[in-house]
């Protein structure tokens, strides 16, 4: 049986009446179809209505997606965001407890862009709200460019931690990545290992080493860039999804209780 892969959704408005919809980019679905070899299942951003125990009992792995919206600062004790900064409280209310439960249960997790930021916040870390406002930092935000190959193209280099998870996948410590984010990790959560940093020191990849209760963590990694955009042409992007696939336990062999 193919593994069931949960993909986190955002709450977005569509149509002429601005109706709320639960949405995830097709790029994640295609990555699960074509590289992970699983069945993609979209997880709605339904907050308090989300049955996390039921999700964990049925899913084999989770992908936490990128998004234009920011993780709200009240979730990590940060100052108010600038006026007009996009937020998605329904997503926060779903993904943060889901991440904590998934890490506790040892479920394989791949966190991408906003997903990486959620992973850090869920485990007790904090965020910078606008990296481009920090002295000595480059602008990591989405280029205002309608031509997709330029908008999502490789933007800067990151340095992988020698001997780490990302270094093993890439076969080198120098990696070129795309860049489409404003927020970034400020204080890493306890139990996180830094797997890569950008040229300005921004944390670009992490791995969960220990769970909050001190036990060794299962497979849980995050990257700040978007491997789902170029998995068909970028070998490292494909390897990230393939590595996640390799971590998926056969059906019936998952941990069944969360500590």
């Amino acid at each position: 049986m193919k593994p069931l892969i949960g993909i986190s959704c955002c709450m977005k408005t569509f149509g002429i009446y601005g109706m709320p919809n639960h949405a995830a980019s097709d790029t994640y679905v295609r990555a699960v179809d074509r590289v992970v070899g699983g069945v993609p299942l979209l997880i709605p951003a339904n907050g308090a209505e989300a049955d996390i125990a039921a999700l964990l009992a049925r899913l084999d792995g989770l992908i936490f997606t990128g998004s234009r919206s920011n993780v709200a600062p009240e979730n990590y004790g940060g100052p108010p965001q600038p006026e007009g900064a996009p937020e998605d409280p329904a997503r926060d209310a779903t993904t943060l407890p889901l991440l904590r439960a998934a890490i506790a249960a040892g479920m394989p997790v791949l966190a991408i862009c906003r997903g990486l930021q959620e992973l850090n916040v869920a485990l007790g870390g904090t965020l910078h709200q606008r990296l481009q406002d920090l002295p000595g930092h480059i602008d990591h935000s989405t280029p205002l460019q309608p031509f997709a190959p330029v908008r999502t193209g490789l933007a800067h280099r990151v340095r992988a931690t020698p001997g780490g998870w990302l270094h093993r996948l890439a076969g080198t410590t120098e990696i070129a990545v795309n860049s489409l984010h404003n927020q970034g990790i400020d204080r890493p959560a306890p139990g996180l290992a830094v797997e890569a940093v950008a040229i300005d020191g921004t944390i670009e990849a992490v791995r969960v080493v220990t769970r909050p209760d001190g036990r060794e963590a299962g497979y849980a990694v995050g990257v700040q860039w978007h491997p789902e955009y170029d998995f068909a042409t970028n070998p490292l992007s494909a390897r990230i999804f393939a590595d996640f696939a390799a971590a998926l336990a056969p059906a019936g062999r998952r941990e069944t209780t969360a500590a």
Side-chain angles (χ1 to χ4, degrees), residues 128 131 136-138 140 185-186 194 196-204:
H128 293 301
L131 292 169
H137 279 63
I138 63 174
H140 290 257
I185 292 177
D186 177 11
V194 174
V197 296
I199 55 177
D200 60 1
T202 298
I203 295 172
E204 292 273 343

Side-chain angles (χ1 to χ4, degrees), residues 27-28 30-32 34-36 178 226-242:
T27 52
Y28 300 100
R30 286 189 284 112
V32 170
R34 300 178 187 179
V35 184
V36 178
N178 53 45
H226 289 264
E228 77 281 6
Y229 283 151
D230 61 359
F231 66 83
T233 57
N234 185 307
L236 176 57
S237 296
R239 287 184 204 128
I240 288 172
F241 286 104

